[in-house]
Amino acid sequence: MSDRNCLIKNAIVNGKKQDLLIENNIIKKIGNIDDAIDKEETKVIDGNNKIVIPGLINTHTHIPMTLFRGVADDLPLMDWLNNYIWPMEAKLNADIVYAGTLLGCLEMIKSGTTTFNDMYFFLDGIVKAVDEMGMRAVLSYGMIDLFDGEKRKKELKNAEENIKMIKKLNNERIGVALGPHAPYTCSKELLMEVHEMAKKYNIPIHIHMNETLDEIKMVKEKTGMRPFEYLNSFGFFDGVSVIAAHCVHLSDEEIKIIKEKKINVSHNPISNLKLASGIAPIPKLVENGINVTLGTDGCGSNNNLNLFEEIKISSLIHKGATLNPTIINTKQSFEFATKNGAKALDLKCGELKEGYLADIALIDLNKPFLIPKENIYSHLVYSFNGNVDTVIIDGNVVMENGKMLNVNEEKIYEKAEKAYYKLIN
């Protein structure tokens, strides 16, 4: 029997009680499905008192930074990066990154995330963990040249080697992107080369944009332009798919560029609040038809990977900031983490539809904070804690009834603790 032939019976699917059939890695049918299905070839999951949702999509992570959780709280971004995070990152190696990624994947699966878009280092360690955990991911090597010519050559070489390594795997669950860190840490020459490489390999670009007022000031002093205007001046956004993380402080002209160039925005509200970066103008972006998605950022600045928290905060924070309770409704904030994330990563998932990838989560409705059940779609945004029951990724059941099926949780925790001590000693 293969998990990739799977029948979920009598669950709430798209608002009504029905069945969902998975064949291989695809949602084959949704509706009342005949019991005559071959039980020997099909895994049957009892969906009574459960709701099926699309797996969540986290569009901005630094996944091995689970090991940096709680390391440097309550600090401004530049102090946090320069004096705490970057010195620790200098001690990283593939084994440490592997341990941190295992932990991150475990945390995401247990809170209903099935896909993530990551930027980091030692991608061989990340790839190994993602493959073992059965997750879907788009991975990019984080490039920083600090305007140094020799470093630029090295970073571009590393990036291309990682692209070739991931493409050679031919693993449908693991995609690749280019990850220039930000306009204030990357030279114009590096950014131009990245643009050409993205076109050459037909892959997206994942970049931090306009996270803080300080970095905008840096770029403006150096170039005379705001970050989006600067990158647009040399065609960085032309003919490529871009996921821009943060986008906290935007001028009207920059919003116009984001709209015209069809740039995808990864909104990271909790990280932006914790680092006191600000509140992104998400209602304005939505008003302009811009594709807004959700990210957690790394655990050093969040401090978890629970995307349900981002869904809730993304709905609440903009109501408070605008004094308008109708801004960013439940449907919009939930789609930020599902349908919109899939669009940004060019994946056929994020919705429960026949023919779509079988990346789904089941939630047990017998929880005090999910009653009354009639209002479940409100509860998913405003009262659910993220503790999902069962997760299916690419047609494979990776967690059932809260238990991981193919990995040993305790060993992952032990490995992560050991890796952390290597970083601090």
Side-chain angles (χ1 to χ4, degrees):
M1 182 181 75
S2 167
D3 286 353
R4 290 171 72 120
N5 287 340
C6 181
L7 176 63
I8 301 165
K9 290 288 291 178
N10 301 314
I12 303 295
V13 182
N14 294 334
K16 62 181 182 180
K17 195 166 190 178
Q18 52 189 336
D19 309 330
L20 185 147
L21 178 66
I22 294 165
E23 282 188 10
N24 296 315
N25 65 340
I26 299 295
I27 298 172
K28 180 75 173 173
K29 189 177 178 188
I30 298 171
N32 294 318
I33 296 165
D34 198 287
D35 279 332
I37 277 172
D38 187 342
K39 296 286 171 64
E40 284 186 22
E41 289 299 316
T42 306
K43 179 182 179 70
V44 179
I45 293 174
D46 181 7
N48 274 302
N49 285 313
K50 293 188 174 77
I51 184 170
V52 181
I53 64 164
L56 305 185
I57 297 165
N58 189 339
T59 57
H60 182 61
T61 62
H62 309 291
I63 212 68
M65 290 185 80
T66 48
L67 303 177
F68 293 65
R69 197 190 322 261
V71 162
D73 293 328
D74 311 321
L75 295 166
L77 178 65
M78 294 305 168
D79 184 12
W80 180 79
L81 280 173
N82 290 315
N83 299 319
Y84 296 90
I85 300 305
W86 285 344
M88 278 181 76
E89 283 184 336
K91 298 179 182 179
L92 289 170
N93 59 39
D95 288 339
I96 292 172
V97 162
Y98 167 67
T101 304
L102 285 174
L103 184 63
C105 289
L106 180 61
E107 184 180 348
M108 285 191 286
I109 289 167
K110 283 183 162 282
S111 53
T113 292
T114 53
T115 300
F116 67 100
N117 180 45
D118 196 75
M119 179 197 296
Y120 214 61
F121 321 108
F122 298 102
L123 263 58
D124 47 346
I126 298 176
V127 165
K128 185 182 175 192
V130 170
D131 190 37
E132 286 175 18
M133 297 297 289
M135 284 200 76
R136 194 179 302 283
V138 177
L139 307 176
S140 57
Y141 169 73
M143 288 179 271
I144 298 174
D145 70 355
L146 300 174
F147 310 93
D148 178 275
E150 282 308 305
K151 191 154 175 50
R152 178 170 70 250
K153 285 178 198 168
K154 190 180 168 190
E155 292 290 75
L156 288 164
K157 183 171 177 281
N158 283 342
E160 191 152 30
E161 282 172 0
N162 278 295
I163 291 166
K164 288 174 180 173
M165 179 264 290
I166 290 171
K167 282 189 171 285
K168 195 176 175 184
L169 294 172
N170 204 24
N171 185 328
E172 286 182 7
R173 285 187 291 103
I174 304 176
V176 66
L178 279 152
H181 177 259
Y184 71 97
T185 52
C186 295
S187 65
K188 180 179 177 180
E189 292 79 7
L190 183 133
L191 293 166
M192 289 172 77
E193 289 274 5
V194 162
H195 177 259
E196 288 309 307
M197 212 181 281
K199 289 203 291 187
K200 176 183 172 183
Y201 288 103
N202 191 28
I203 57 175
I205 297 170
H206 180 191
I207 186 170
H208 299 88
M209 294 295 294
N210 296 45
E211 184 175 0
T212 64
L213 291 171
D214 281 349
E215 72 192 63
I216 293 167
K217 189 181 172 192
M218 280 186 238
V219 173
K220 214 168 175 187
E221 283 173 357
K222 202 172 180 72
T223 69
M225 291 175 272
R226 291 178 64 89
F228 276 97
E229 294 168 343
Y230 166 54
L231 267 56
N232 197 46
S233 72
F234 56 86
F236 183 79
F237 304 118
D238 296 343
V240 294
S241 173
V242 175
I243 295 164
H246 302 298
C247 300
V248 177
H249 304 281
L250 298 169
S251 67
D252 288 344
E253 180 58 32
E254 287 182 299
I255 291 172
K256 193 177 166 192
I257 291 166
I258 293 168
K259 182 179 181 176
E260 282 178 0
K261 300 300 178 181
K262 295 183 169 58
I263 296 162
N264 302 285
V265 170
S266 178
H267 181 33
N268 292 233
I270 293 176
S271 175
N272 296 156
L273 287 173
K274 184 165 186 273
L275 292 169
S277 301
I279 298 171
I282 298 304
K284 259 192 181 181
L285 300 183
V286 170
E287 210 178 279
N288 277 275
I290 289 160
N291 189 43
V292 176
T293 69
L294 284 179
T296 54
D297 212 351
C299 281
S301 64
N302 187 296
N303 291 4
N304 66 36
L305 299 168
N306 184 352
L307 212 55
F308 278 100
E309 289 189 1
E310 307 292 335
I311 292 171
K312 179 175 180 174
I313 292 292
S314 72
S315 197
L316 295 181
I317 193 174
H318 303 293
K319 297 180 195 309
T322 60
L323 304 181
N324 182 348
T326 68
I327 289 283
I328 311 298
N329 60 40
T330 53
K331 183 176 184 288
Q332 287 172 316
S333 59
F334 193 74
E335 286 184 352
F336 288 170
T338 52
K339 184 180 178 180
N340 295 13
K343 182 183 177 184
L345 297 176
D346 195 24
L347 293 169
K348 199 174 180 181
C349 58
E351 297 178 79
L352 300 176
K353 284 186 175 178
E354 292 174 3
Y356 275 53
L357 288 166
D359 291 1
I360 62 178
L362 281 79
I363 296 166
D364 183 353
L365 297 176
N366 283 335
K367 304 286 180 191
F369 43 80
L370 297 180
I371 304 293
K373 294 173 190 172
E374 287 74 12
N375 304 327
I376 186 60
Y377 289 99
S378 166
H379 304 337
L380 290 177
V381 172
Y382 292 129
S383 63
F384 184 52
N385 64 6
N387 190 10
V388 302
D389 182 82
T390 295
V391 173
I392 299 171
I393 304 174
D394 205 42
N396 293 307
V397 181
V398 296
M399 183 175 79
E400 189 170 13
N401 300 321
K403 292 184 76 173
M404 297 296 294
L405 298 188
N406 303 316
V407 295
N408 184 319
E409 279 186 57
E410 289 306 317
K411 284 188 177 171
I412 290 173
Y413 299 143
E414 284 170 26
K415 202 181 281 282
E417 290 286 4
K418 284 177 184 170
Y420 172 71
Y421 282 106
K422 285 178 185 171
L423 280 177
I424 60 169
N425 290 319

